[in-house]
Amino acid sequence: MSAPHVLIAGAGHAGGRVAQALRAAGFTGRVTMVGEESHAPYERPALSKELLLGRKTVGEIMLEPREFWRDEQQVAAVNGRIAAVGADRVARLDSGETIAFDILVVAAGGHARKLTVVGGDLPEVRTLRSIDDCLALRGALAEGRRLLVIGGGVIGMEAASSAAALGMHVTVLETGPRIMARCLPPEGSRWLQALHEERGVRVETGVAVEAIRRADGVLSAQASRAGQALQFDADLVLAAVGITPATAFLAGSGVALDNGVLTDARCRNPAAPWCYAVGDIANSFNPLYGRHVRQETWRNAENQARAVAASIMGSGEAYEEMPWMWTDQHERNIQVVGIYTPGDLVVSRIAPGEQGGVLLWLHEGKVAGGMLVDCGRERKQLEILARRQAEVEPATLSDTAISLKELARA
């Protein structure tokens, strides 16, 4: 049989890495990649940091020079949007073009969620998901202007940090009780909020935005907290309320969907074995946790792409990714290993402060992860402990006289 034709739906970081990994592994079949953006595949983390601040150029975040994606011996790149995929393994584009394939790799990521309140579609309300979003937002940032960030997740807090560095007056509104609650323990959220407030960022939690209005040239968010009416004025609003997995084009395809594209531990869809998924859109079974986990991280896009390519090439190895992410805010580096579950016992090894910090947590008595502030050198040892779910007494874990390296060797 001839080598199969692989269609990659999505030309972002994860999709681009799959194409590269297939060629690096010696795949000889056709590779077609379809993406909506006019830019070649690139890494996203800089969008809310270095690119937004003008410290990196668009060219510096590309995976490969544009020529790589124009060489059809490597990959046939198509600029367009897949409207539908059929169980007959034919993709139909908005343009009317059809592409028959043998293997589909879904790398479509997600769409930035829009505000669903009145005024959420005003031109001053922006999102940040693409290079074009970033460049448009950067053009509107200026010293002395007021930026209102709705959403206290990673992107919202990074954008707040970047805007504050540019001299803007920044306010963050988070509907939940604390910022970055999806990845940080309460102690970490409190420290990070205090860091932002020290740098002049106003952070308001427990706030529900009900409308965005413009009157007499003034933009304002109408909101409430515990029944109290609130108003926040701004010149610009950034909606940073997460992403929605881009799965609409798979309706009727037979591909199993649930909070993204479901896959087994080999990144393959259980209902449609000709379909794989990678990156932000992949809700993959993780053997380390015994359940499906969808990871929106740089490392997952990198490593899962290689795992997908290996699986297509016949590898039988499961993909076991220990979650890891990092964020840079106000010139502090924060790394998070593992998954924090509400109720986990948090152990302060080094209380976060000016000299760094290490917070670890135990789930049912076993090391499940940690937060490292300016202590990235500890990550490897922490990952070892979390991967093997080491049972360590809290008093031992908090004793800095015993290195994490010693504990990892035990």
Side-chain angles (χ1 to χ4, degrees), residues 15 40 87 91 93 103 119 154 157 181 189 203 220 227 236 256 276 285 333-334 346 356 368 382-383:
L93 277 60
I103 293 172
V154 177
M157 300 315 296
S189 294
V203 180
S220 64
L236 189 67
Y276 296 78
F285 184 81
N333 175 254
I334 302 161
V346 178
L382 176 54
E383 285 191 359

Side-chain angles (χ1 to χ4, degrees), residues 383-403:
E383 285 191 359
I384 292 172
L385 290 167
R387 181 175 284 274
R388 80 162 192 254
Q389 300 179 46
E391 294 189 41
V392 184
E393 289 296 322
T396 301
L397 205 57
S398 65
D399 188 352
T400 55
I402 306 172
S403 70

Side-chain angles (χ1 to χ4, degrees), residues 82 175 204 212 215 221 358 365 372 403:
I82 298 177
T175 187
E204 298 284 351
I212 307 291
V358 179
L372 309 173
S403 70

Side-chain angles (χ1 to χ4, degrees), residues 187-203:
E187 295 85 345
S189 294
R190 286 195 293 270
W191 172 80
L192 184 59
Q193 179 170 337
L195 175 66
H196 276 267
E197 290 172 342
E198 287 170 6
R199 303 300 177 91
V201 176
R202 179 182 177 186
V203 180

Side-chain angles (χ1 to χ4, degrees), residues 34-50:
V34 179
E36 297 180 46
E37 291 190 57
S38 59
H39 302 282
Y42 60 89
E43 298 180 354
R44 294 189 190 275
L47 297 182
S48 51
K49 301 187 289 288
E50 297 94 339

Side-chain angles (χ1 to χ4, degrees), residues 2 5 22 71 79 84 86 98 135 153-154 160 175 188 193 218 232 291 297 302 305 312 315 348 351 368:
S2 60
H5 176 200
L22 283 170
D71 181 358
N79 183 225
T98 60
L135 297 181
V154 177
T175 187
Q193 179 170 337
V218 177
F232 301 91
R291 60 184 174 87
T297 67
E302 287 278 306
I312 290 172
S315 169
S348 178

